[in-house]
Amino acid sequence: MDMKQIIAGRIADAAAACFEGCGLCAKDVAGMLEIPPEKKMGDYALPCFRMSKTLHKAPQMIAASLAERCAGEEIDHVEVVGGYLNVFVARGCMARGLIEAVLSQPGRWGASDIGKGKTVCLDYSSINIAKRFHIGHLSTTMIGHSLKRIYDFNGYTTVGINHLGDWGTQFGKMICAYKKWGNREDVERGGVQAMVDLYVRFHQEAERDPALEDEGRAWFKKIEDGDPEALEIFSWFKEVTLKDTQRVYDMLGVTFDSYAGESFYNDKMQPVVDELREKNLLTKSQGAEVVMLDDYGMPPAIVLRSDGATLYITRDLAAAYYRHNTYHFDKCLYVVAYQQNLHFRQLFKIIELMGNDWYKGMEHVSFGMVSYEGRALSTREGYIVYLEDLLNKAVEKAREIIEEKSPNLPNKDEVARQVGVGAVVYFDLHNDRNKDIDFRWERALNFDGETGPYVQYTHARCCSVLRKAPDLSDVEPDYGVLCDDEACSVLLLISRFPEIVRKAMDANEPSMITRHTTSLAQAYNKYYFEHRIMEEGDPAGTLARLNLTRAVADVIRTGLYLIGVEAPERM
Ligand code: ARG
């Protein structure tokens, strides 16, 4: 039961009665309905300005005519203000249908099958081999993971792809360094950090002895030519990196369907390059082969270097073809920092110029930078925060808070993990993704305010109320008790949840769900403080309030699930 659809239906009926043959259907009206910025302007508002053109009447006149005919048990009253028809939803009435709808399918409020038969590829996290996972990777990982859940929730088939950065001359240098100064045990024990150390050492030594650079290049050539020793070391580097990273993915609950990374496309680029050449899209420029894009306000994209080497974009071109041919995607999303904006604009344009209309489904889902406690991260200055350290610290801090607030909680370790990790993830997905984020402990782990722990705590509060509930299985709930302002705010937020999920999907913006779920938690807390849920001598009212609580818990849990945050039942 979606209140907006119902209201839209009532207005469409009124329109059909007032303006015969106007052809306005409920769907059109739903598309026009707005949510007013202030409560006194109603729960929904219909701007009549656009209709004024087709109906040749003043907007106020249209609103006034509609107001006369617009009725139904769901509508308390309507008001005409300017060119708007403001609708006030009947309190109490909304409660029954809504709560019953939510409770009839736990965990599915807001789900749909609009993506049935369609496939979305999501390229996210896409880590680089032999580099440590730092907090700069958090957004791509969590936005991608959240979007995957949101698309799944709407019936799409999703393919999560970790497009590994596992190609480049640096791997030749690393093998060279490993052969000279490394050994198996140190790398097995030290993991990625040991590889990073080898790489740093390579550069230090190469400053004194430039011949090392040639050796590094020679090792890379060996990888390219398929030399068994080089390949063995290289794939072992990959294994070590993935094993290290897996610990972080496990903490975050993030999974992938494919790890086809850059090296996977080694043997898949030639056909694409041939096609580019056939279609006369390649131009020679200082020995390199480029696609000229100045007609589109972009610098040329280098596809082949003068020594014949391929580039990042060459691999992405092959990857796009591969994904299209393999998954027949309707959408292919790239969750990558906004610094790569130009790269993706070039990529999509080239796919288009090659005559593929499926370029339309490709989209760069960009996001801003993360700084830590007010300071920009910088590898050069050695100011890096590793994601695993951050998550562990968050869990530790959560554990301290739990120890202080609820010392008798069972399975404290598990809850500390859910709360600590949840705080970090929530913080990351709280603002519009293109905004830069400054991670601050006191803001992320605060139990008051717009934080993960706050929302989780509200959910746990609902669960705790429900645990204390008496058995009312033979009672008919009296939803008439849910007609006060606080209950209505809660109900409206629940009724808008499906629409928010859809909007979040259309905009690839998980933060819309984060913020809406937070508003719901706030509204419920307000309700909770102003009303007694369990009232002696009023089982019917009590059951209605308990069911409201049950619905809130369910929708908060779903909202958190969609952004990749767990919802413990006790905190
Ligand atoms: N590994 C790349 C980086 O860290 C991101 C790859 C994004 N995906 C892609 N298909 N280009 O910058």
Side-chain angles (χ1 to χ4, degrees):
M1 196 196 86
D2 186 340
M3 193 45 81
K4 185 177 179 182
Q5 299 302 328
I6 294 175
I7 301 292
R10 296 293 186 197
I11 297 178
D13 291 347
C18 306
F19 315 109
E20 215 174 303
C22 68
L24 206 62
C25 68
K27 206 170 155 218
D28 304 330
V29 178
M32 286 190 277
L33 275 182
E34 294 174 0
I35 290 165
E38 283 175 64
K39 263 207 138 39
K40 64 170 199 286
M41 301 156 102
D43 300 311
Y44 293 99
L46 180 75
C48 300
F49 308 98
R50 239 195 303 150
M51 282 180 277
S52 138
K53 293 211 182 77
T54 42
L55 296 173
H56 305 294
K57 286 195 169 62
Q60 295 90 314
M61 299 279 290
I62 299 173
S65 310
L66 291 175
E68 264 172 47
R69 301 280 190 128
C70 188
E73 53 167 348
E74 306 83 8
I75 297 176
D76 183 76
H77 68 284
V78 295
E79 283 171 10
V80 177
V81 180
Y84 284 90
L85 177 72
N86 292 346
V87 182
F88 294 78
V89 173
R91 325 222 132 174
C93 163
M94 167 159 73
R96 171 182 296 275
L98 189 59
I99 291 175
E100 283 173 359
V102 173
L103 298 184
S104 69
Q105 277 186 300
R108 300 292 298 162
W109 183 242
S112 81
D113 58 4
I114 52 179
K116 211 169 149 194
K118 297 200 187 118
T119 298
V120 185
C121 290
L122 300 108
D123 177 323
Y124 58 102
S125 206
S126 300
I127 51 163
N128 298 321
I129 294 304
K131 291 226 178 94
R132 283 195 67 184
F133 211 169
H134 62 77
I135 64 171
H137 300 117
L138 181 63
S139 296
T140 168
T141 306
M142 292 322 297
I143 294 172
H145 176 62
S146 166
L147 290 176
K148 187 171 189 321
R149 287 191 170 179
I150 296 170
Y151 280 97
D152 275 329
F153 200 57
N154 281 287
Y156 285 87
T157 300
T158 59
V159 187
I161 303 169
N162 198 333
H163 183 81
L164 301 177
D166 57 1
W167 199 252
T169 44
Q170 71 271 28
F171 297 111
K173 296 179 186 175
M174 230 171 269
I175 293 182
C176 175
Y178 169 73
K179 293 288 289 181
K180 283 191 185 307
W181 313 296
N183 65 70
R184 213 143 184 124
E185 296 73 50
D186 285 351
V187 175
E188 292 283 2
R189 200 171 340 104
V192 178
Q193 189 57 50
M195 291 189 253
V196 173
D197 293 344
L198 281 172
Y199 191 57
V200 170
R201 171 137 185 216
F202 180 92
H203 281 282
Q204 285 165 349
E205 307 255 352
E207 245 167 54
R208 265 173 276 138
D209 176 11
L212 273 177
E213 295 283 354
D214 291 330
E215 277 187 56
R217 259 190 293 276
W219 271 108
F220 180 60
K221 180 96 180 38
K222 283 192 181 181
I223 306 179
E224 279 185 301
D225 296 344
D227 172 79
E229 185 188 7
L231 279 190
E232 196 275 328
I233 301 175
F234 178 47
S235 65
W236 170 62
F237 280 176
K238 262 167 82 163
E239 237 172 76
V240 172
T241 308
L242 285 173
K243 204 173 113 214
D244 252 20
T245 321
Q246 191 58 41
R247 283 197 307 274
V248 180
Y249 287 145
D250 286 345
M251 276 184 109
L252 294 167
V254 169
T255 56
F256 301 91
D257 304 299
S258 159
Y259 286 85
E262 295 193 37
S263 71
F264 178 77
Y265 298 102
N266 274 344
D267 59 353
K268 300 176 181 64
M269 287 177 282
Q270 197 55 50
V272 184
V273 173
D274 291 344
E275 193 179 327
L276 279 166
R277 194 166 290 127
E278 258 161 49
K279 293 187 167 154
N280 279 324
L281 289 165
L282 286 184
T283 307
K284 276 254 182 226
S285 167
Q286 297 168 342
E289 303 221 50
V290 307
V291 180
M292 296 305 288
L293 296 168
D294 38 353
D295 284 352
Y296 312 98
M298 288 185 265
I302 307 174
V303 174
L304 287 178
R305 276 208 316 246
S306 52
D307 61 0
T310 55
L311 289 99
Y312 182 50
I313 199 164
T314 325
R315 291 164 196 286
D316 258 330
L317 284 165
Y321 269 86
Y322 177 83
R323 290 174 192 175
H324 175 258
N325 294 334
T326 310
Y327 306 114
H328 313 287
F329 63 73
D330 296 274
K331 282 189 193 202
C332 181
L333 307 180
Y334 297 82
V335 187
V336 186
Y338 65 61
Q339 282 90 338
Q340 294 194 27
N341 199 334
L342 175 64
H343 168 76
F344 287 106
R345 278 173 47 226
Q346 290 180 319
L347 174 67
F348 303 163
K349 185 48 92 180
I350 296 173
I351 296 285
E352 179 187 353
L353 291 174
M354 292 173 86
N356 306 297
D357 68 338
W358 45 266
Y359 82 90
K360 289 183 190 137
M362 300 168 78
E363 198 177 324
H364 177 202
V365 179
S366 59
F367 56 84
M369 298 218 297
V370 193
S371 52
Y372 182 73
E373 297 286 354
R375 192 171 153 196
L377 300 174
S378 154
T379 329
R380 207 171 313 143
E381 288 169 37
Y383 191 62
I384 327 169
V385 181
Y386 297 114
L387 194 48
E388 191 172 15
D389 297 345
L390 183 91
L391 292 172
N392 283 330
K393 194 162 166 188
V395 173
E396 209 177 286
K397 283 180 185 261
R399 171 89 211 207
E400 281 164 23
I401 299 172
I402 291 168
E403 209 60 73
E404 186 191 303
K405 291 197 174 189
S406 5
N408 300 320
L409 188 76
N411 61 321
K412 277 184 234 174
D413 287 332
E414 173 68 357
V415 177
R417 187 191 59 76
Q418 293 172 314
V419 173
V421 173
V424 172
V425 171
Y426 178 104
F427 195 87
D428 191 50
L429 297 183
H430 181 246
N431 287 315
D432 292 1
R433 56 180 160 77
N434 276 307
K435 275 204 192 132
D436 292 341
I437 303 176
D438 181 26
F439 188 88
R440 302 242 177 194
W441 283 111
E442 91 273 2
R443 268 194 263 146
L445 267 173
N446 201 329
F447 275 58
D448 306 308
E450 304 186 357
T451 66
Y454 171 80
V455 179
Q456 286 174 321
Y457 189 74
T458 310
H459 171 265
R461 163 173 287 155
C462 293
C463 294
S464 143
V465 169
L466 295 166
R467 273 194 301 274
K468 291 184 204 121
D471 178 17
L472 295 169
S473 46
D474 48 359
V475 175
E476 249 321 290
D478 170 15
Y479 287 107
V481 301
L482 302 178
C483 61
D484 52 89
D485 279 356
E486 294 78 34
C488 279
S489 299
V490 172
L491 289 164
L492 266 173
L493 287 161
I494 293 178
S495 82
R496 280 174 200 158
F497 185 79
E499 187 189 339
I500 297 291
V501 171
R502 224 86 77 231
K503 282 198 172 140
M505 184 171 75
D506 292 343
N508 294 313
E509 185 63 89
S511 66
M512 290 183 182
I513 297 178
T514 313
R515 287 202 295 267
H516 192 80
T517 307
T518 308
S519 302
L520 176 59
Q522 288 165 336
Y524 180 79
N525 282 323
K526 199 148 182 252
Y527 180 79
Y528 178 83
F529 285 117
E530 308 219 350
H531 301 269
R532 285 174 65 101
I533 306 285
M534 280 171 282
E535 197 75 74
E536 198 108 4
D538 177 19
T542 297
L543 184 55
R545 286 184 292 266
L546 283 170
N547 282 350
L548 176 72
T549 305
R550 214 165 264 136
V552 169
D554 184 76
V555 177
I556 291 184
R557 176 187 282 276
T558 301
L560 289 178
Y561 169 81
L562 291 176
I563 60 165
V565 172
E566 291 179 59
E569 294 191 358
R570 291 171 202 259
M571 268 172 78

